[in-house]
Amino acid sequence: MSGLPKITRFNDNVLSKYQIYNSIFITLPFDTINNTGVLLPLFHKVCEKGFKQGLNPTEIVDKFFKKYLDHPTENGKNDLLFQFIQYIERQVVLFDAVEDAAFPIVNNMDGIGTLRNSKETAVLSGKKEELKKHLEDFKVRIVLTAHPTQFYPGSVLGIITDLDKAIQNDDLLLIKKLLAQLGKTPFYKKSKPTPFDEAVSLIWYLEYVFYNSVPKIYNYIQQHVYDGEPMNNEIIDLGFWPGGDRDGNPFVTTQITLDVAERLRQTILRNYYRDIRRLKRRFTFDGVQEILVKIEKRLYKHVVRSYAKVNFSQKILLEELYAAREIVVEKHDSLFVEELNDFINKVRIFGFHFATLDIRQDSRVHHDAFTQIVTDLIATGDTTFPENYHRLSPNEQIDILSVVKGTIDPAILTDEMSVKTIESIYALKTIQERNGERGANRYIISNNQSALNVIQTFAMLNLCGFENELPVDIIPLFETVDDLENSSEVMRTLYTNKTYRYHLSKRKNKQTIMLGFSDGTKDGGYLMANWGIFKAKEALTKISREFDIEVIFFDGRGGPPARGGGKTHKFYASLGPTIEDKEIQLTIQGQTISSNFGTLDSSQFNLEQLLSSGIKNDMFTKDQLNDEHRTIIEDLATVSYKSYVDFKNHPQFLPYLEQMSTLKYYAKTNIGSRPSKRSTSDTLDFSSLRAIPFVGSWSQLKQNVPGFYGVGTALKKYEDAGRFNEIIAFYNASDFFKTLLENSMMSLTKSFFGLTAYMADDPVFGEFWTLIHEEYLTTKRLLLKLAGHTELMENHPVGKASIAIRENIVLPLLTIQQFALKRIQELQKTEGSAKEIEIYEKMVMRSLFGNINASRNSA
């Protein structure tokens, strides 16, 4: 089977099986309307033909009802459309399950980009010792976030898991039952989840996927790279944001932060408890059995009875396990020692924390809160700050903030946000005491604009009773184009501050810096965001090396390739030597978690791809931009940026999003605890609009503007000047540039302007829609010309095929969504009944789910 072309394996094991199981699914009688499953394929055909004929969504829906139903009532029509939405949501789930089940067949689990391949390449190149040295301190950190793009409730995730196994076993009877269960299981949440609810949902992946996939990778490296010798590097770290990410989320409280940390601790100890019970069945030997029984009792007290105050820690557990292993080796011929080693490795990797809970807050909130804290302290007669502090210059304030120490009592503070900010730091201390330092040791400052933003956070931490050295990494997050450009100067100020530099020396001379791609793209467009981040990383690498600091880059929203939904590992493998690459850190969110890390196979494969990209970039890649390439991409980014900014400043930009897209419906979907914008104003303010609903709204329109707008205009400049061959030569010479544009091609592949072609005739927005469409056509034409292709993604046939199937599944859903949006607009113009408008608004909202899940990496 593995000898067949990848696209053949995909067609045989994904496409064909989906068609078979879908034919079963649509005949199951789980709905209250007769023949819904029969009518949906007919509606699908009407949609396909209708768009080819240039019909708009309303005409398509009307044509379907006229052709296939006998004088239906308005209520009957709407009920059927809602049933179609529910069917399509579940078809997406079915396709997910089929694709997940076929993952190890379609993808070569030992092929290019896997650890086995990297190891064999290193051995053949005489670089095994170099590989060992590289892995001594190289890490990948996957940080799970709760941004609102994951629509599957836990019950549906469980069905997907069971379907995956049933499909692998070709258990048709069980598959049929699970499909029936799927049809009857609600997808829609009647109330918004709390941050704790979101945390529980994501911990499911930690417990059932990462707990198994991460140690499997670690064990392989230990056995096949280090020949069984101990390793002092965990290789893979897990991070966690739900419950700790306060940025724009007023529902994250101190108690929720503590509860999430405790849930993480309880979950990992519960997993250890299960493993110890299994190990007891193997290690029935004298001396070993007694140790395992003792461990079991301690874990039982923590997990079942929640005896959190019992003296027990990762260090104590490891000491007992090492003692058990010594007895097994010396007295029992190392019998089953590999199983004990596997458990020891799990404890080393996951500790008592499972995943590190990051704390995050916006710098503007920090500044206001800290300003009030100083005012309150001065008012109480506290002499920590001089009375003229607020009148001092930023540099003078930094000098004072660098050296302050103390223990603030939140009770003396008069401002609610100040209290919450200080309490979140005390919560961080508590978590470290209970879960170990790795439980919570990172504080991220979003929208970081200055060195003062960092030092204010540094000071607040030092004013919360931390004795001696501060056991927390302070991570500035640079997001906008301007902040990226200024980032190296911000870090120079910090590195030259003696107190902060001393702090870094106690943190192993490492400084983590986060770069936000989502907001960078929203601010400056696709090319400028990518190039801005690349240049910022180069400048930050240079300044950090100048001060003997090892800088670690943390990419928000999965790194720059995520906007196109491209191959993240290819991007990291192409960065070259001018960017520090000792660690790869990235956020993973929403449906990207379930699509890339939802099963043991996909999780292992994608983690290995990331590890191997770091190996390739460090040991094998020689790709480096020369001066000519830099001049070209700088020019392309500048032209693209101007085009995007002009587009963003168009008078119809915000009204178009507000009136013609699904933007305002994101807040009503009950899929995330966090509001869709930072401000509480009723009017739409672009600066406060979150990147996720912004990008998601373009995706729902099938106009993936954030992934391509400005690219075509920039390329056309070189075509018009007769210099396009320079772009072609650059594309063929640079993996970085090629990966960048291939990701944009994927964004274009997921666009379908036929869906909204009716907008071209709109008296208000027709010109604006045409502007977007023309940029799409220009970008598509020139990217195909650049790559020498006749179709988008033709060199990635499996990815192209997967997208095509998913887009085909949701075509009726998108049609219904646009139909409902048009009806709302018509009813609002004619002052139609509020009840009718409410029905169609619900239809729009419900149609968001399936489309986002089908897109997988659209937001």
Side-chain angles (χ1 to χ4, degrees):
M1 178 66 73
S2 61
L4 295 173
K6 190 173 181 179
I7 186 63
T8 303
R9 301 198 301 271
F10 177 86
N11 289 334
D12 291 347
N13 294 277
V14 179
L15 177 57
S16 296
K17 286 190 175 183
Y18 169 73
Q19 290 170 340
I20 292 169
Y21 298 138
N22 185 52
S23 66
I24 298 171
F25 173 69
I26 61 175
T27 62
L28 294 174
F30 66 79
D31 63 309
T32 56
I33 297 178
N34 292 330
N35 298 321
T36 304
V38 175
L39 291 170
L40 179 56
L42 298 175
F43 180 56
H44 193 285
K45 287 292 183 186
V46 173
C47 292
E48 284 184 327
K49 290 182 179 178
F51 286 119
K52 287 179 182 177
Q53 294 168 359
L55 301 181
N56 67 44
T58 301
E59 293 168 334
I60 289 171
V61 172
D62 289 344
K63 183 177 180 179
F64 166 75
F65 283 124
K66 185 176 181 180
K67 186 173 182 179
Y68 292 107
L69 277 82
D70 185 22
H71 303 296
T73 64
E74 284 302 309
N75 285 341
K77 289 179 182 179
N78 291 336
D79 286 345
L80 182 58
L81 292 177
F82 276 113
Q83 287 293 337
F84 282 166
I85 291 171
Q86 291 179 14
Y87 261 79
I88 294 164
E89 286 173 342
R90 288 154 177 80
Q91 285 178 313
V92 173
V93 173
L94 174 58
F95 186 76
D96 281 347
V98 172
E99 198 167 39
D100 286 345
F103 191 93
I105 300 173
V106 175
N107 296 278
N108 187 349
M109 301 296 284
D110 293 321
I112 294 174
T114 63
L115 280 175
R116 180 172 179 175
N117 176 261
S118 295
K119 188 264 296 184
E120 290 175 351
T121 302
V123 170
L124 290 172
S125 305
K127 293 185 174 182
K128 185 177 179 182
E129 289 303 313
E130 190 177 337
L131 175 61
K132 289 172 68 174
K133 189 173 187 304
H134 171 79
L135 290 172
E136 283 175 4
D137 55 5
F138 177 74
K139 286 187 180 183
V140 166
R141 180 186 289 261
I142 299 293
V143 180
L144 306 185
T145 74
H147 293 322
T149 58
Q150 172 57 274
F151 292 79
Y152 294 152
S155 55
V156 175
L157 289 172
I159 295 172
I160 293 176
T161 301
D162 293 341
L163 260 178
D164 180 338
K165 294 176 182 176
I167 291 168
Q168 288 187 49
N169 296 328
D170 289 321
D171 188 341
L172 191 59
L173 181 61
L174 179 57
I175 290 168
K176 189 172 181 179
K177 288 182 178 180
L178 289 169
L179 290 176
Q181 180 190 3
L182 185 65
K184 293 177 178 291
T185 301
F187 277 40
Y188 180 61
K189 297 170 184 174
K190 294 181 180 179
S191 58
K192 273 185 174 292
T194 67
F196 184 78
D197 295 332
E198 291 172 327
V200 170
S201 295
L202 288 188
I203 288 172
W204 186 92
Y205 292 98
L206 295 178
E207 184 171 8
Y208 295 106
V209 180
F210 287 102
Y211 183 73
N212 298 302
S213 63
V214 172
K216 191 172 181 180
I217 292 170
Y218 183 94
N219 293 341
Y220 179 87
I221 293 172
Q222 186 176 52
Q223 292 300 318
H224 298 280
V225 178
Y226 285 84
D227 302 317
E229 294 298 316
M231 297 192 303
N232 294 318
N233 180 18
E234 293 82 18
I235 303 292
I236 298 171
D237 284 332
L238 299 176
F240 205 75
W241 275 16
D245 183 7
R246 284 166 162 69
D247 182 11
N249 193 339
F251 306 111
V252 177
T253 65
T254 301
Q255 190 58 51
I256 281 180
T257 301
L258 292 169
D259 289 345
V260 170
E262 180 61 17
R263 183 62 173 251
L264 286 165
R265 191 180 77 93
Q266 289 289 324
T267 303
I268 190 59
L269 294 183
R270 182 167 62 241
N271 279 20
Y272 291 164
Y273 180 71
R274 291 176 188 143
D275 278 356
I276 279 291
R277 288 178 64 86
R278 283 193 288 268
L279 285 173
K280 276 177 60 186
R281 296 176 62 183
R282 290 283 178 264
F283 295 99
T284 52
F285 323 136
D286 285 342
V288 182
Q289 178 77 190
E290 290 81 356
I291 293 174
L292 297 186
V293 167
K294 181 182 176 183
I295 292 173
E296 180 189 14
K297 287 180 178 179
R298 281 187 157 182
L299 288 170
Y300 181 84
K301 288 179 180 179
H302 277 260
V303 175
V304 178
R305 297 185 178 177
S306 298
Y307 284 0
K309 295 184 180 179
V310 175
N311 183 29
F312 199 31
S313 65
Q314 178 191 24
K315 182 174 181 291
I316 293 170
L317 178 55
L318 283 173
E319 287 173 352
E320 293 175 344
L321 290 171
Y322 290 146
R325 183 173 63 184
E326 187 175 344
I327 295 171
V328 171
V329 172
E330 292 182 358
K331 297 183 179 180
H332 303 292
D333 304 317
S334 297
L335 192 59
F336 297 123
V337 74
E338 65 279 356
E339 294 185 33
L340 184 57
N341 281 333
D342 175 63
F343 182 62
I344 288 172
N345 288 342
K346 286 177 178 176
V347 177
R348 291 189 62 190
I349 294 166
F350 301 121
F352 273 35
H353 66 289
F354 213 161
T356 300
L357 185 63
D358 289 347
I359 308 297
R360 183 172 79 127
Q361 183 57 282
D362 189 285
S363 66
R364 293 163 292 193
V365 174
H366 267 177
H367 178 76
D368 292 344
F370 188 73
T371 299
Q372 189 59 46
I373 288 170
V374 174
T375 300
D376 288 343
L377 287 174
I378 291 173
T380 64
D382 188 286
T383 58
T384 302
F385 297 94
E387 292 188 5
N388 68 338
Y389 174 83
H390 292 310
R391 298 190 298 275
L392 298 176
S393 69
N395 286 338
E396 290 172 322
Q397 289 181 348
I398 286 174
D399 288 341
I400 293 170
L401 297 176
S402 301
V403 295
V404 295
K405 277 275 191 182
T407 303
I408 294 177
D409 180 1
I412 70 167
L413 302 178
T414 60
D415 174 62
E416 182 183 7
M417 185 53 69
S418 299
V419 173
K420 289 179 177 179
T421 303
I422 292 301
E423 285 184 343
S424 71
I425 297 174
Y426 281 118
L428 186 152
K429 284 185 67 180
T430 301
I431 294 167
Q432 287 195 357
E433 291 166 2
R434 293 167 66 86
N435 297 15
E437 185 183 313
R438 288 168 66 198
N441 61 8
R442 290 152 52 100
Y443 202 116
I444 299 163
I445 312 160
S446 57
N447 192 50
N448 197 95
Q449 298 176 341
S450 67
L452 181 60
N453 293 152
V454 177
I455 295 297
Q456 282 176 338
T457 306
F458 182 63
M460 280 192 283
L461 286 160
N462 279 315
L463 286 169
C464 289
F466 283 103
E467 297 178 4
N468 302 318
E469 283 77 39
L470 182 65
V472 181
D473 294 321
I474 302 167
I475 304 174
L477 165 52
F478 300 106
E479 301 179 79
T480 68
V481 172
D482 288 342
D483 289 345
L484 288 168
E485 288 179 352
N486 297 331
S487 60
S488 61
E489 284 307 306
V490 169
M491 297 314 298
R492 179 180 290 279
T493 301
L494 294 172
Y495 291 159
T496 52
N497 181 284
K498 290 182 179 179
T499 311
Y500 189 78
R501 182 66 185 80
Y502 175 79
H503 165 68
L504 289 180
S505 73
K506 297 301 180 181
R507 302 301 293 168
K508 300 180 180 179
N509 284 314
K510 293 183 178 183
Q511 171 69 57
T512 303
I513 298 173
M514 190 172 180
L515 303 160
F517 184 73
S518 290
D519 283 290
T521 307
K522 172 175 161 268
D523 182 54
Y526 181 72
L527 273 185
M528 179 56 85
N530 273 287
W531 182 233
I533 288 173
F534 188 94
K535 288 194 298 181
K537 284 184 175 181
E538 285 194 318
L540 291 165
T541 297
K542 184 178 180 181
I543 189 72
S544 299
R545 288 173 177 172
E546 180 183 329
F547 286 88
D548 294 322
I549 300 294
E550 183 182 305
V551 66
I552 298 164
F553 294 116
F554 179 18
D555 285 310
R557 180 52 187 106
R563 184 55 58 238
K567 300 294 185 182
T568 307
H569 60 275
K570 287 180 64 178
F571 189 88
Y572 285 115
S574 70
L575 293 180
T578 57
I579 291 176
E580 198 70 75
D581 64 343
K582 285 292 179 66
E583 291 193 27
I584 292 174
Q585 297 191 8
L586 65 161
T587 60
I588 303 291
Q589 66 200 39
Q591 73 280 20
T592 309
I593 297 173
S594 55
S595 62
N596 288 357
F597 302 95
T599 67
L600 180 59
D601 288 324
S602 63
S603 174
Q604 180 185 338
F605 183 83
N606 285 300
L607 285 170
E608 286 192 20
Q609 293 286 319
L610 286 170
L611 280 167
S612 296
S613 70
I615 293 168
K616 182 181 178 185
N617 189 42
D618 184 55
M619 294 175 55
F620 300 107
T621 298
K622 302 301 178 187
D623 184 40
Q624 189 171 355
L625 300 178
N626 60 35
D627 290 342
E628 181 184 354
H629 294 161
R630 287 176 178 277
T631 301
I632 291 173
I633 195 169
E634 180 72 41
D635 186 44
L636 289 171
T638 301
V639 174
S640 173
Y641 179 59
K642 183 181 185 307
S643 173
Y644 179 79
V645 170
D646 289 345
F647 170 68
K648 194 172 64 172
N649 291 334
H650 193 288
Q652 297 298 349
F653 183 85
L654 286 178
Y656 181 82
L657 275 176
E658 197 164 25
Q659 297 176 42
M660 306 300 279
S661 82
T662 58
L663 180 65
K664 61 186 176 185
Y665 298 98
Y666 267 80
K668 302 177 181 180
T669 54
N670 293 333
I671 56 172
S673 68
R674 194 167 70 170
S676 60
K677 57 182 182 178
R678 287 181 171 90
S679 71
T680 56
S681 170
D682 291 334
T683 59
L684 182 59
D685 174 17
F686 184 79
S687 63
S688 67
L689 178 61
R690 290 198 169 278
I692 299 302
F694 171 74
V695 174
S697 297
W698 290 112
S699 173
Q700 295 283 330
L701 285 168
K702 308 313 292 181
Q703 302 168 8
N704 290 313
V705 160
F708 73 81
Y709 201 93
V711 176
T713 297
L715 293 175
K716 192 172 185 298
K717 174 185 175 181
Y718 281 76
E719 183 186 49
D720 291 344
R723 299 175 58 194
F724 203 72
N725 283 342
E726 295 177 34
I727 304 294
I728 294 174
F730 183 16
Y731 179 84
N732 291 327
S734 169
D735 287 342
F736 168 74
F737 190 52
K738 179 177 287 187
T739 303
L740 203 63
L741 295 187
E742 283 185 349
N743 291 334
S744 190
M745 290 183 201
M746 182 178 283
S747 220
L748 293 171
T749 304
K750 294 182 178 182
S751 298
F752 174 49
F753 278 81
L755 178 70
T756 55
Y758 70 90
M759 293 183 187
D761 300 322
D762 189 275
V764 177
F765 297 108
E767 179 188 336
F768 188 73
W769 182 91
T770 302
L771 182 70
I772 301 169
H773 187 224
E774 287 177 349
E775 182 66 16
Y776 162 80
L777 293 174
T778 301
T779 305
K780 180 179 177 180
R781 178 179 67 81
L782 291 175
L783 286 177
L784 289 174
K785 179 179 179 179
L786 177 59
H789 295 165
T790 56
E791 293 181 340
L792 292 169
M793 292 183 66
E794 69 177 50
N795 57 331
H796 298 290
V798 171
K800 181 180 175 66
S802 179
I803 290 170
I805 296 169
R806 290 174 177 278
E807 296 296 315
N808 188 52
I809 290 171
V810 297
L811 182 65
L813 186 149
L814 293 164
T815 308
I816 293 169
Q817 183 183 86
Q818 284 297 316
F819 161 77
L821 284 168
K822 282 175 76 11
R823 286 291 293 134
I824 292 167
Q825 293 161 13
E826 292 163 4
L827 289 166
Q828 288 173 338
K829 287 177 184 176
T830 59
E831 297 185 357
S833 75
K835 187 175 181 180
E836 275 189 285
I837 292 174
E838 184 181 349
I839 289 170
Y840 289 113
E841 285 186 333
K842 183 179 178 183
M843 197 176 288
V844 172
M845 183 188 67
R846 291 290 287 110
S847 64
L848 290 168
F849 294 70
N851 187 35
I852 284 288
N853 282 326
S855 297
R856 285 203 158 191
N857 50 21
S858 62

